[in-house]
Amino acid sequence: MPNGYAGKIGFVDLTTGKIHTETLDDTQARDFIGGQGLGVRTLFERQPKCADPMGPESILGFATGPLTGTKTPTGGRYMAVCKSPLTGGWGDANSGGYFGSELKSAGLDAVFISGKAEKPVYLLIQNGTLELRDAARLWGRDTVETEAALRGETNEKRLRVACIGPASERLSLISGIANDGGRFAARSGVGAVMGSKNLKAVAVRGSGRVAVADTARLESLRKSFINEIKEMKGFVEVLREQGTCGLTAGLIAGGATPIKNWSASGTEAFPGGEQVSAGERVLKYQTRKYACANCPIACGGIVNVTDGRYPVGESHKPEYETVGAFGPMCMNTDLAAVFKLNDMCNRSGLDTISAGSVIAFAMECYEEGILTAADTDGIELTWGNAEAMVALTEKIIRREGLGDILADGVKKAAQKIGAGAEKCAMHVGGQEPGLHSALFLPSRGTGYVCDPTPGRHTAAPMARIDGGPGAWAPYPEMKIGNFERYNYSGKGPLAARASAYLQAGASAGVCLMPMMFFGNFPMVDFLNAVTGWDADVAEVLATGHRLMTLRQAFNIREGIEAGDVQLPDRLKGIPPQSGGPLADVTIDIDTLTREFRQAMGWHPDTARPADATLDKLGLAQMVRDFG
């Protein structure tokens, strides 16, 4: 068994009830690391080509990395993987909390689940033993209730649970998987895939420890990193003291945050926005901070809202994406409604980015007369109407009326509504983009279009290129020069390098925040200390390139063409905004994406990996056999 790994992978067939484990060998671990790397290798080989993502032949995986469950700072992440029912291509969703570390402690690096149970079930994993149990009494319960019920049933206070809520049970394509009461693997429609299998939860308890090759080296690296970030100001300080919600006001002012369904930017376009954007206003309700496993940053928090129209009680502090989606995207200045909507999504399983986006889409359709009060059951979907947002979200969760249409995202909703609704539907390849404008950092658009999970802000580390000189990591290969923000040519090679590095780090099981933004996180050193490898940065980049390319090959196999994944004109600045910090900006996304693909060794127009690239990365045989 390689250091850093539990050494076993679980396989569960819900149709037959058969369960078995397989050994993870050293070569597979080093070539694919873990997380989405291990996930895409497994699905590429074992899931039939063009499988229905909601059918029994589809596979849903929960995969950790070698740094998950170790003392590596932020080493607590896991990845949910599947074919996305939202985009039709590769799907993955990352989450923190403690579930990933517990899965490793229970003796598994990953578990892959296929088939469909006849009735609702949950999977219980205890120290390498996997067992399917009845979950009929849990069906219909929200994620918080489900977690509490499973802890009570098993009499395990430290049971870690990844589960779905009512929105995922009703197969909303914008639903995710919750763990630790409010941490979320939110994107790609992973919750709908779990619901389609009648799988209510995966509950884990373990007592094992992850073997580490060099504990002294790991401890030295850990202490050094923690001491450094204690003194860091700016972004790191805000993240440490307020969490991501503390970034909202600055991002709105600079133009990074989309306003009114991506049609405007800047503080003046969002009057009264400080009511929801000021981190201090959110922190007024915070009763305690918390950290994910092995994290020294502790950006999370619990709020207790007992006043106002929506006294939700204890709930998780809303992240920036949530505030952005339910605040400026919908022109809502009611913070109480943001808390309420966040809690509704956490409990039901909705992805807050997509939920806020479909509401903004519906509001614009209402403004344009494409939707009327007759379509909304009398809900007045005017901009900023907080009561209407709460009422519509309830309909989305229950799949009632218009909510049934919106529950599958803006692309499918626009197709069903027609009458010009497509012009209001802001999506990239079927997925609502994160709340970060490519007009502000054009290379953000490169990630939105070129990553195999489109529209994902967490898959766009190349956006840092446009933010001025700096570094992603303390290695010469990861330095960032002084690039002109609105010059487009010449960024491809560095963008490809950043993408490969993030792929490797995410697969290893660490958080993207230090990986993308801190500049001092020595991921390669942590990886070597834990595993005992002698990998250099070049090897890690080659591995990340391999993972990125196999995910792209998966998309090609499933019929996703480059032309299917485009930024909407509005997100490119066509026509340009007439006011605010992004006035008159139109970006050249074509040059950025073509040069990125060329640097990756993919065809610049079709995005197909070249044969020479597949050969170089050791993927040619796999793609021939299973592509």
Side-chain angles (χ1 to χ4, degrees):
M1 179 180 73
N3 287 303
Y5 294 88
K8 294 289 183 182
I9 303 173
F11 292 90
V12 179
D13 186 331
L14 294 174
T15 301
T16 64
K18 291 182 178 180
I19 298 172
H20 75 281
T21 61
E22 297 180 10
T23 300
L24 175 70
D25 65 69
D26 291 32
T27 300
Q28 186 179 5
R30 190 150 181 173
D31 286 350
F32 294 92
I33 302 181
Q36 73 265 43
L38 181 60
V40 69
R41 184 188 190 279
T42 302
L43 266 64
F44 203 92
E45 292 184 342
R46 299 180 188 237
Q47 181 171 288
K49 179 180 179 180
C50 295
D52 178 357
M54 306 284 274
E57 67 273 26
S58 73
I59 298 173
L60 172 68
F62 297 82
T64 68
L67 302 183
T68 307
T70 72
K71 289 187 176 181
T72 304
T74 75
R77 313 294 295 190
Y78 78 91
M79 193 75 74
V81 299
C82 64
K83 179 180 177 180
S84 170
L86 191 62
T87 69
W90 175 251
D92 58 44
N94 190 275
S95 184
Y98 289 81
F99 177 83
S101 295
E102 199 71 22
L103 186 60
K104 288 276 286 290
S105 294
L108 293 178
D109 293 299
V111 59
F112 294 97
I113 303 159
S114 59
K116 178 179 181 177
E118 215 173 285
K119 298 178 180 179
V121 297
Y122 75 92
L123 176 64
L124 180 64
I125 303 172
Q126 293 178 300
N127 287 326
T129 300
L130 293 82
E131 176 189 358
L132 290 171
R133 291 188 175 184
D134 178 75
R137 72 210 169 281
L138 300 173
W139 206 253
R141 293 196 184 189
D142 70 36
T143 60
V144 177
E145 293 168 341
T146 298
E147 190 170 326
L150 288 174
R151 286 209 176 104
E153 176 181 312
T154 60
N155 198 29
E156 285 282 2
K157 291 182 179 180
R158 288 187 57 194
L159 191 77
R160 302 300 180 183
V161 179
C163 64
I164 57 172
S168 302
E169 293 173 0
R170 296 183 180 107
L171 309 185
S172 167
L173 300 190
I174 58 171
S175 65
I177 300 168
N179 60 275
D180 294 279
R183 307 311 299 174
F184 252 88
R187 312 236 65 198
S188 296
V190 295
V193 175
M194 193 164 169
S196 74
K197 296 185 174 301
N198 277 334
L199 179 64
K200 180 64 175 178
V202 178
V204 185
R205 182 72 181 98
S207 57
R209 290 194 169 193
V210 181
V212 171
D214 191 339
T215 55
R217 176 63 174 155
L218 175 59
E219 182 62 15
S220 175
L221 289 167
R222 186 186 74 86
K223 285 183 177 179
S224 177
F225 173 75
I226 291 174
N227 287 335
E228 287 177 10
I229 65 171
K230 286 178 181 177
E231 305 301 322
M232 295 175 74
K233 304 297 183 183
F235 173 83
V236 179
E237 185 178 25
V238 173
L239 194 64
R240 195 173 58 237
E241 295 184 358
Q242 297 189 357
T244 60
C245 66
L247 304 168
T248 310
L251 291 173
I252 290 175
T257 302
I259 295 172
K260 202 176 183 181
N261 200 24
W262 296 88
S263 65
S265 61
T267 304
E268 291 185 4
F270 185 37
E274 70 279 357
Q275 299 294 323
V276 296
S277 68
E280 294 83 1
R281 292 183 181 270
V282 176
L283 293 183
K284 173 185 172 184
Y285 294 90
Q286 181 172 287
T287 56
R288 66 183 185 274
K289 295 181 65 176
Y290 72 84
C292 295
N294 307 302
C295 180
I297 304 164
C299 68
I302 299 297
V303 295
N304 189 18
V305 183
T306 58
D307 58 1
R309 286 187 296 172
Y310 305 112
V312 298
E314 281 205 346
S315 184
H316 282 247
K317 178 173 61 180
E319 304 282 352
Y320 159 73
E321 301 293 333
T322 302
V323 177
F326 292 130
M329 269 285 280
C330 299
M331 299 297 287
N332 169 45
T333 60
D334 187 336
L335 182 60
V338 174
F339 284 132
K340 174 64 174 177
L341 291 160
N342 184 51
D343 189 63
M344 291 173 73
C345 289
N346 284 350
R347 288 176 177 272
S348 70
L350 286 178
D351 168 15
T352 59
I353 293 174
S354 289
S357 295
V358 297
I359 293 172
F361 158 78
M363 285 178 162
E364 183 173 349
C365 287
Y366 193 82
E367 181 182 51
E368 294 293 324
I370 298 168
L371 291 175
T372 68
D375 301 305
T376 66
D377 294 328
I379 298 173
E380 294 289 339
L381 285 180
T382 51
W383 292 108
N385 188 338
E387 288 187 25
M389 293 172 68
V390 172
L392 185 58
T393 301
E394 187 63 41
K395 284 184 172 291
I396 293 169
I397 293 168
R398 295 182 178 278
R399 277 194 177 273
E400 294 176 348
L402 179 62
D404 184 40
I405 295 172
L406 298 178
D408 290 333
V410 300
K411 179 183 179 181
K412 288 182 172 59
Q415 291 169 346
K416 290 178 181 178
I417 294 169
E422 290 85 355
K423 70 180 181 181
C424 307
M426 299 300 110
H427 67 88
V428 186
Q431 183 152 234
E432 297 76 17
L435 281 298
H436 297 267
S437 176
L439 298 179
F440 179 70
L441 295 177
S443 293
R444 177 77 66 188
T446 309
Y448 282 170
V449 171
C450 292
D451 190 86
T453 57
R456 297 282 288 278
H457 67 288
T458 53
M462 62 285 291
R464 280 280 289 107
I465 294 172
D466 299 325
W472 287 284
Y475 309 116
E477 298 92 333
M478 303 312 300
K479 287 185 177 179
I480 304 168
N482 193 10
F483 288 86
E484 170 57 42
R485 180 177 303 193
Y486 295 112
N487 281 348
Y488 301 96
S489 187
K491 296 177 179 178
L494 188 55
R497 201 180 312 159
S499 184
Y501 190 77
L502 180 65
Q503 287 297 305
S507 293
V510 292
C511 179
L512 69 87
M513 288 298 186
M515 281 278 297
M516 286 178 64
F517 299 114
F518 287 20
N520 69 326
F521 187 77
M523 189 270 290
V524 177
D525 297 74
F526 279 121
L527 194 60
N528 285 334
V530 169
T531 62
W533 298 342
D534 57 353
D536 57 14
V537 176
E539 179 185 336
V540 169
L541 290 173
T543 303
H545 189 185
R546 180 179 302 114
L547 310 188
M548 184 76 167
T549 298
L550 189 57
R551 289 163 76 239
Q552 181 65 11
F554 183 95
N555 278 5
I556 299 297
R557 185 182 83 165
E558 300 305 301
I560 304 296
E561 301 290 343
D564 300 328
V565 185
Q566 301 285 336
L567 279 185
D569 281 351
R570 190 179 297 179
L571 273 65
K572 292 187 286 189
I574 302 175
Q577 295 179 16
S578 58
L582 302 179
D584 302 322
V585 173
T586 300
I587 62 171
D588 179 5
I589 192 65
D590 292 339
T591 295
L592 289 171
T593 55
R594 283 178 58 83
E595 292 192 4
F596 176 86
R597 291 168 179 153
Q598 286 177 320
M600 290 294 296
W602 307 347
H603 191 283
D605 295 318
T606 67
R608 290 176 175 269
D611 289 343
T613 302
L614 297 174
D615 283 331
K616 176 184 174 184
L617 298 173
L619 297 175
Q621 188 66 47
M622 187 183 305
V623 171
R624 278 196 297 269
D625 289 347
F626 302 102

